[in-house]
Amino acid sequence: MTYEEIKTNPEVLAFMKKGNENLGTLGYTDHSEAHCGLVAEQAGRILETFGYSEHEVELAKIAGFLHDIGNGVNRKHHAEYGSLLANDILRQTDISLEDRVQIVSAIANHDESTGTAVDVVSAALIIADKTDVRRNRVRTKDKSKFDIHDRVNYAVEGANLKIDMEKKVIALNLQIDEDICTMYDYFEIFLGRMVMCRRAAEVFGAKFKLSANGSKVL
């Protein structure tokens, strides 16, 4: 089982589609195949940059693509539901038991309410997921209907995740339109996620830093 194969798996795509529809009804931002694909690629890039093997990069990509399928069951505890669904799906493939367990564990630990980084695959998944902040994740174009999640994402005009291997720093650099969202609003939503990223970065022996509009925030 490869990342390219998992991206076309009908069962995965069905749960992903239903999960994104469910979250749309609840007023959440986009959690579609686009989000999961970006998270997968970013998680793989993080491990590749830190010098991990192609095999570990592949596991991170698979976990990244599968991480939100639990939303097809329920948003609450979606990480745990997603891990169980992923286990059932992957058990039908030729992936090894050891690899399946590592992917399932990473998915189960990616949500800040119940999880934390437990190994390099989960750490890469967490950083990739929590730093996917962008304007086109907002579903509605009617600003009068924005909630705080919409405002925070819509205000982000640019986001760049940089890894400085020499300084051992993982840095998220944001450009935010503060007429749309104040930094207070941003932290109300994202402080827990950024703390989770900081702990995940420690797995790589690195520090996590956040800057907004050129100023260091975290």
Side-chain angles (χ1 to χ4, degrees):
M1 171 57 65
T2 66
Y3 169 56
E4 292 301 323
E5 289 172 332
I6 209 70
K7 287 196 300 182
T8 60
N9 183 288
E11 195 170 357
V12 170
L13 297 177
F15 274 109
M16 191 178 294
K17 182 175 183 291
K18 181 58 178 171
N20 192 43
E21 290 171 353
N22 290 351
L23 295 190
T25 301
L26 294 171
Y28 283 83
T29 53
D30 176 72
H31 285 70
S32 68
E33 188 177 339
H35 165 66
C36 294
L38 284 170
V39 170
E41 295 293 338
Q42 188 75 282
R45 183 178 77 89
I46 290 167
L47 287 193
E48 186 175 10
T49 303
F50 276 102
Y52 288 90
S53 68
E54 289 184 12
H55 181 68
E56 288 164 308
V57 169
E58 186 79 356
L59 294 183
K61 287 182 175 181
I62 293 172
F65 196 75
L66 293 172
H67 81 281
D68 267 345
I69 60 173
N71 286 312
V73 179
N74 196 285
R75 176 61 183 177
K76 189 174 183 180
H77 299 302
H78 75 283
E80 292 90 332
Y81 288 132
S83 69
L84 295 174
L85 289 172
N87 186 58
D88 284 344
I89 293 168
L90 293 174
R91 190 160 47 191
Q92 301 172 43
T93 73
D94 61 355
I95 196 166
S96 72
L97 174 60
E98 181 180 13
D99 289 346
R100 172 158 55 93
V101 169
Q102 188 165 27
I103 291 168
V104 165
S105 177
I107 295 169
N109 280 285
H110 86 270
D111 187 69
E112 64 271 17
S113 63
T114 56
T116 192
V118 293
D119 54 33
V120 295
V121 172
S122 62
L125 170 56
I126 286 167
I127 295 169
D129 181 39
K130 306 312 173 189
T131 57
D132 183 23
V133 189
R134 50 191 163 82
R135 177 166 289 186
N136 58 3
R137 289 194 72 180
V138 178
R139 297 174 192 258
T140 179
K141 304 306 177 187
D142 184 350
K143 295 180 183 179
S144 67
K145 296 180 180 179
F146 281 3
D147 65 6
I148 188 170
H149 295 85
D150 293 325
R151 289 200 309 275
V152 165
N153 279 275
Y154 194 80
V156 176
E157 298 175 325
N160 185 21
L161 187 69
K162 290 186 175 181
I163 302 174
D164 188 326
M165 291 297 295
E166 185 176 332
K167 296 181 179 178
K168 294 288 185 181
V169 170
I170 302 172
L172 177 62
N173 304 307
L174 300 175
Q175 286 298 126
I176 295 176
D177 185 340
E178 294 191 58
D179 290 333
I180 298 174
C181 161
T182 66
M183 289 308 300
Y184 179 86
D185 286 337
Y186 182 87
F187 272 99
E188 184 177 345
I189 297 298
F190 283 99
L191 181 58
R193 301 177 194 183
M194 296 300 99
V195 170
M196 196 180 195
C197 286
R198 184 183 68 187
R199 291 172 180 162
E202 291 172 354
V203 172
F204 301 110
K207 294 181 179 179
F208 181 81
K209 294 185 178 181
L210 171 67
S211 65
N213 299 341
S215 298
K216 181 181 176 182
V217 178
L218 180 68

